[in-house]
Structure formats: C-alpha cells, structure tokens
Amino acid sequence: NAGVMQNPRHLVRRRGQEARLRCSPMKGHSHVYWYRQLPEEGLKFMVYLQKENIIDESGMPKERFSAEFPKEGPSILRIQQVVRGDSAAYFCASSPNSEGEQYFGPGTRLTVT
Amino acid sequence: GESVGLHLPTLSVQEGDNSIINCAYSNSASDYFIWYKQESGKGPQFIIDIRSNMDKRQGQRVTVLLNKTVKHLSLQIAATQPGDSAVYFCAEMVNNAGNMLTFGGGTRLMVKP
C-alpha cells in the first residue's frame, strides 16, 4: 500500500510566478490536510479537504492561496504570485476518516527566488 | 542532558540509554494526541498516539504519558538507538471540532554512539 505521494519534491519559482503542489492520499483515504513548515519550526495547519469539499480553511492565507480536492485526481495546493515568504516545506497528510491518525507525505520544498 | 538552543531544544543521550521528550500542549479541550518523528528532509512519521481517556500507552520501545491536569505529554524511548536521532513533535487535536493537528515546537534528539 503506497503511502501519501507528493510532487514535485522540490520546486523553485521566481517571485510573481505560480506554484502548484500535488498530493495523492493513501489508497482508501478521502480526507486530505495541508500543512506548512518553516525551518526549525513545527507544522502549521492550512486546510482540510474531503472530495470536492473544503471542510476547514482557517489556516489558509486570505489571498493568493487556494486548495482543491477534485472527484478524480490529486489534491492541489495553488499559490499565485509567490513571494519570498512563501518559501517553506509544504506537507500533505491523509486519513481514512474524520478522526485519528494522519499519515504524512514527504513534502514539497518550495523555494522562491 | 537537555539544552535550549537558538531554535529547537536538543536532547543528547548515549546509545542504549532511555530518552524522555516532553511537550506542553495548549488547549485543554484537546482530546487526541500524537507523537511524530521527523528526519531531515522527510515528512513526519507517526510514532504513537493517545486519547484523553487514557494516561499511558505503550508501543514497541516507546511509551506516551499524558497528564491532563497540567497539560503535559511525554514520550519515552527505551534503549535509544542511533536511528532514533531526529526531531520529535507532539501534536494535539480536538475531535469533532475540525481535524487540524496543532504541533508543538519540536525537540531534536541526538544519540551518541
């Protein structure tokens, strides 16, 4: 059973470009979460999605950031007009239900130059 | 011994000794707790969890203790091995109130051979 997959693993963007980060949950998991991690810090919750629904986006910045989890295909975290402060590791997690253990992917390391 | 550095606090132990990593959580309503291990360049890896109706749970070489009175969580690792070297995070969740995990600041465990 493959774990949570994320791609790309590393992404470099210039200021003003768009970044698209993809996450495929574990097989059988319909709950997806995105977290951001700055160096030497813990992960910070961004958004919680189920198929075709955003359940909780209380951790998402109000502008430039959006997330989706379509009926088919991976979940996408989209950052428009990236700025240097967006440089971080972005982790996706999935779970089989609304309670309990979340399994994390390897992360996408975004660098904005 | 334990020291607080500029960023992550660090616990340095000798191989074969037991390690104790502590965490103070913030929300008295939290009812589910997880310990994660994160190696450099990787995503968090689930170690052990505990629900608020328990005060102790044991796994293989690991034990989690929960003290709800003082909002304190600890992770004990028996016979620490070099492969245990990593950053350890505690995370808390309030079930049925959104599924976001709130992560603590992390502790770096260094195992000396």
Side-chain angles (χ1 to χ4, degrees):
Chain A
N1 187 11
V4 178
M5 311 282 282
Q6 289 188 250
N7 68 82
R9 294 293 310 276
H10 299 273
L11 181 61
V12 179
R13 284 287 177 264
R14 291 200 192 96
R15 278 180 297 170
Q17 291 184 319
E18 178 180 288
R20 279 183 179 245
L21 288 62
R22 287 176 290 277
C23 168
S24 296
M26 287 180 70
K27 188 177 180 181
H29 288 193
S30 59
H31 300 252
V32 165
Y33 315 82
W34 285 93
Y35 293 83
R36 175 162 63 178
Q37 185 178 35
L38 296 173
E40 302 282 296
E41 294 187 10
L43 283 71
K44 297 286 195 297
F45 169 80
M46 298 180 75
V47 62
Y48 163 37
L49 310 104
Q50 294 180 31
K51 285 283 187 182
E52 299 184 280
N53 283 308
I54 296 173
I55 308 301
D56 183 348
E57 55 181 348
S58 58
M60 287 277 271
K62 293 287 185 280
E63 297 176 350
R64 301 189 297 109
F65 285 71
S66 62
E68 62 176 7
F69 189 16
K71 187 176 179 182
E72 301 290 338
S75 175
I76 307 285
L77 179 67
R78 182 181 177 207
I79 312 172
Q80 295 178 290
Q81 299 174 330
V82 295
V83 301
R84 288 219 171 102
D86 297 332
S87 295
Y90 291 83
F91 291 97
C92 168
S94 73
S95 64
N97 51 44
S98 60
E99 297 180 356
E101 189 177 336
Q102 295 178 16
Y103 297 84
F104 282 83
T108 294
R109 276 146 190 86
L110 172 66
T111 302
V112 180
T113 60
Chain B
E2 183 173 328
S3 64
V4 178
L6 202 58
H7 299 284
L8 291 173
T10 298
L11 176 64
S12 186
V13 300
Q14 203 70 38
E15 181 179 359
D17 287 352
N18 297 334
S19 301
I20 299 176
I21 299 172
N22 296 303
C23 174
Y25 65 92
S26 56
N27 188 349
S28 55
S30 292
D31 50 12
Y32 179 59
F33 305 88
I34 307 176
W35 278 101
Y36 285 96
K37 171 187 180 184
Q38 188 176 27
E39 296 173 280
S40 181
K42 297 185 178 179
Q45 176 189 353
F46 173 91
I47 301 173
I48 191 168
D49 60 358
I50 189 167
R51 298 200 178 272
S52 58
N53 60 353
M54 304 173 69
D55 53 22
K56 180 179 179 179
R57 190 155 188 242
Q58 287 185 288
Q60 189 176 19
R61 276 201 312 120
V62 294
T63 301
V64 55
L65 299 177
L66 174 62
N67 185 331
K68 293 182 287 294
T69 303
V70 294
K71 292 192 287 186
H72 183 268
L73 202 63
S74 69
L75 176 70
Q76 301 176 4
I77 305 174
T80 314
Q81 302 168 0
D84 295 327
S85 294
V87 177
Y88 289 79
F89 293 98
C90 67
E92 58 185 298
M93 180 195 292
V94 180
N95 274 321
N96 301 319
N99 279 8
M100 70 176 84
L101 286 170
T102 300
F103 281 78
T107 297
R108 187 183 308 280
L109 176 65
M110 297 177 63
V111 182
K112 295 177 287 187

